[in-house]
Amino acid sequence: MVICVSVHYPAVVASYPPTEYIYLAVALYYSMYGHVEKLAQEIKKGAASVEGVEVKIWQVPETLPEEVLGKMGAPPKTDAPIITADELATADGFVFGFPTRFGMMPAQFKAFLNSTGGLWRTQQLAGKPAGIFYSTGSQGGEQETTALTAITQLVHHGMIFIPIGYTFGAGMFEMENVKDGSPYGAGTYAGDGSRQPSQLELDQAFHQGKYLASITKKLKKEQAA
């Protein structure tokens, strides 16, 4: 999913256009069963809560045929628009979200990134901030490995990885309830598919959106100065 953020700067500052779009790829998202999509919606809300910021969400193309998706019990896709590589190039910042597949991002998301060779060749994404969020099937579902292997994609594009660290505060140390998410980014446990993101997981996603939008806004302002 991609989240597009539009930042409004005061009209008195001549070097800033009235509206400027910042695309936060909230997973430039891919979500098969809806868990990542729910986190993406919270990230969008968090980013939009930053003053002067507007947000837009995108999803990457599906690569599996409908017949296969039906056998896997996947629900219909949402009406979020499908991102293209050219649209990604207009973004100022990103939040990428996806479920894990054997410790890595799924093929659908990787296929989209494979289509960004033209952007890599011209380094159009270099210097732009990017975050990562994810869902996993279990507490041993390679949360850290999924984030680490995804960072390689950012590196080759020259993007700046923005982890949330421990800025979520006490929520990072929750021990009484099941909670996904890490210093790398927000997350949720999908289990067999029936478990939905908890309120704490949704709160962490909101925090990540707000945190990354704030940093993107600061970087954009400094670059325009």
Side-chain angles (χ1 to χ4, degrees):
M1 173 180 288
V2 179
I3 289 184
C4 308
V5 178
S6 174
V7 177
H8 297 271
Y9 294 105
V12 295
V13 183
S15 60
Y16 295 154
T19 301
E20 209 165 313
Y21 289 98
I22 299 177
Y23 293 91
L24 302 182
V26 170
L28 216 182
Y29 83 91
Y30 176 74
S31 185
M32 178 174 287
Y33 296 107
H35 298 80
V36 171
E37 197 273 337
K38 288 184 178 179
L39 292 182
Q41 292 295 340
E42 289 302 311
I43 290 176
K44 177 182 178 181
K45 292 176 185 177
S49 73
V50 176
E51 184 178 0
V53 171
E54 293 180 2
V55 189
K56 187 174 182 180
I57 255 179
W58 300 83
Q59 58 183 323
V60 301
E62 179 59 79
T63 59
L64 293 175
E66 289 296 328
E67 180 182 1
V68 173
L69 291 172
K71 291 180 178 179
M72 297 177 71
K77 300 296 183 185
T78 68
D79 58 359
I82 304 298
I83 190 76
T84 66
D86 289 340
E87 287 167 322
L88 186 64
T90 64
D92 294 306
F94 312 91
V95 188
F96 299 113
F98 33 76
T100 185
R101 292 292 184 271
F102 303 118
M104 297 181 288
M105 67 176 65
Q108 291 88 339
F109 205 90
K110 186 60 168 64
F112 171 78
L113 291 176
N114 286 348
S115 73
T116 63
L119 302 181
W120 164 79
R121 186 171 57 252
T122 55
Q123 286 293 282
Q124 292 186 56
L125 305 181
K128 296 183 178 183
I132 293 169
F133 67 102
Y134 52 84
S135 73
T136 61
S138 67
Q139 295 183 56
E142 303 296 345
Q143 291 85 2
E144 187 169 356
T145 302
T146 299
L148 283 171
T149 53
I151 290 172
T152 62
Q153 311 299 303
L154 311 185
V155 169
H156 283 269
H157 276 290
M159 290 185 275
I160 303 169
F161 176 50
I162 307 294
I164 62 172
Y166 286 84
T167 60
F168 188 48
M172 296 296 295
F173 302 94
E174 171 61 39
M175 298 294 289
E176 298 301 321
N177 299 294
V178 175
K179 173 193 163 295
D180 202 352
S182 71
Y184 293 90
T188 187
Y189 293 122
D192 61 2
S194 61
R195 182 185 186 273
Q196 296 301 310
S198 69
Q199 188 57 54
L200 188 58
E201 290 170 335
L202 295 174
D203 290 345
Q204 186 174 33
F206 181 96
H207 169 76
Q208 182 173 11
K210 182 176 181 180
Y211 183 70
L212 198 140
S214 297
I215 292 176
T216 303
K217 184 178 178 180
K218 289 178 182 177
L219 289 175
K220 188 66 176 179
K221 183 176 180 180
E222 290 177 0
Q223 292 169 359

